[in-house]
């Protein structure tokens, strides 16, 4: 079934906001690059904020589905699954259109607590922590909730560092390997007898 005009608009907006930012992108740019009329836009969204929110929700869906499929395809133990998350990020960093994390970028532009966009950012991060926590629990690691949050801090730091790096020089591709090594150390400390 072909995508609806609304889906086409959300997909286009998601890609444009990822590349250009949110405040720096006007509705005119979205309309021009998507080839969608202003009337179609306003038939589906009352404001730019509503379009941003739809783009963030779509990005969350795509990102988490891709992540879960990647990790599931790797199989392995709980610890292997945790490390596979870092391998997924490594592949993501190598993509030609890598522009960092849309949610990290949005958090820098939308700081009003409790706003719909801010809630979407918080929900995305909470879903990632929950996903990591599930794998930590399955692996029998100590303090799975705290460990999941620490792992997400490593991933976020790698994303921000990679966003400012050039993959041709290898630095963007190496940064996630350093984060993976740090994750291995955290996991090892969570499996030591002193922590159980």
């Amino acid at each position: 079934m072909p995508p609806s005009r609304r889906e086409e608009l959300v997909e286009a907006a998601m890609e444009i906001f990822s590349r250009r930012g949110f405040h720096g992108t006007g509705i005119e740019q979205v309309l021009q690059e998507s080839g969608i009329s202003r009337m179609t836009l306003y038939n589906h969204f009352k404001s730019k904020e509503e379009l941003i929110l739809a783009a963030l929700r779509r990005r969350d869906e795509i990102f988490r589905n891709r992540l879960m499929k990647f990790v599931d395809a790797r199989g392995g133990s709980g610890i292997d699954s945790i490390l596979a998350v870092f391998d997924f990020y490594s592949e993501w960093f190598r993509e030609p259109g890598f522009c960092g994390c849309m949610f990290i970028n949005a958090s820098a532009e939308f700081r009003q607590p409790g706003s719909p966009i801010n809630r979407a950012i918080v929900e995305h991060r909470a879903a990632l922590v929950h996903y990591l926590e599930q794998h930590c629990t399955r692996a029998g690691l100590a303090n799975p909730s705290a460990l999941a949050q620490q792992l997400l801090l490593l991933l976020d730091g790698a994303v921000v560092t990679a966003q400012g790096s050039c993959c041709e020089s290898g630095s963007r591709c190496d940064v996630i390997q350093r984060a993976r090594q740090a994750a291995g150390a955290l996991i090892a400390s969570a499996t030591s007898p002193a922590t159980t």
Side-chain angles (χ1 to χ4, degrees), residues 5-16:
R5 294 300 276 167
R6 183 187 191 283
E7 289 168 336
E8 288 176 3
L9 178 58
V10 170
E11 292 283 337
M14 181 180 65
E15 194 273 325
I16 295 163

Side-chain angles (χ1 to χ4, degrees), residues 33-34 40 48 55 82 97 101 109 122 126-127 140 145 168 174 181:
E33 289 194 38
S34 69
T40 300
K48 180 180 171 183
I82 296 165
C101 172
E109 293 192 50
V122 169
S145 177
E168 288 77 24
D174 292 342
Q181 289 168 355

Side-chain angles (χ1 to χ4, degrees), residues 128-173:
L128 290 177
V129 168
H130 179 69
Y131 179 71
L132 289 165
E133 185 177 348
Q134 287 178 312
H135 286 288
C136 292
T137 300
R138 283 189 204 120
L141 300 173
N143 302 314
S145 177
L147 180 58
Q149 292 175 41
Q150 292 168 336
L151 293 169
L152 188 60
L153 284 172
L154 287 174
L155 291 164
D156 284 349
V159 169
V160 172
T161 303
Q163 188 172 355
S165 303
C166 173
C167 204
E168 288 77 24
S169 69
S171 57
R172 184 195 301 165
C173 300

Side-chain angles (χ1 to χ4, degrees), residues 31-153:
L31 296 176
Q32 185 177 9
E33 289 194 38
S34 69
I36 292 173
S37 72
R38 183 176 296 278
M39 182 180 291
T40 300
L41 168 70
Y42 288 111
N43 281 340
H44 295 289
F45 301 101
K46 294 183 180 110
S47 65
K48 180 180 171 183
E49 182 177 284
E50 282 190 11
L51 179 59
I52 291 169
L53 191 55
L56 286 169
R57 287 184 175 141
R58 180 69 180 130
R59 179 61 185 157
D60 172 67
E61 178 187 2
I62 290 169
F63 184 83
R64 289 194 298 122
N65 283 336
R66 284 181 57 204
L67 170 62
M68 288 185 272
K69 284 179 185 174
F70 182 95
V71 172
D72 288 348
R74 292 292 190 271
S77 70
I79 291 173
D80 290 337
S81 294
I82 296 165
L83 295 175
V85 172
F86 288 80
D87 297 337
F88 170 79
Y89 274 64
S90 181
E91 289 203 4
W92 175 36
F93 289 4
R94 287 182 170 85
E95 291 176 5
F98 176 78
C99 297
C101 172
M102 195 172 179
F103 293 89
I104 292 173
N105 296 343
S107 69
E109 293 192 50
F110 298 95
R111 296 185 181 143
Q112 184 180 358
S115 70
I117 291 173
N118 189 266
R119 279 197 306 270
I121 295 164
V122 169
E123 287 166 8
H124 173 76
R125 300 185 57 69
L128 290 177
V129 168
H130 179 69
Y131 179 71
L132 289 165
E133 185 177 348
Q134 287 178 312
H135 286 288
C136 292
T137 300
R138 283 189 204 120
L141 300 173
N143 302 314
S145 177
L147 180 58
Q149 292 175 41
Q150 292 168 336
L151 293 169
L152 188 60
L153 284 172

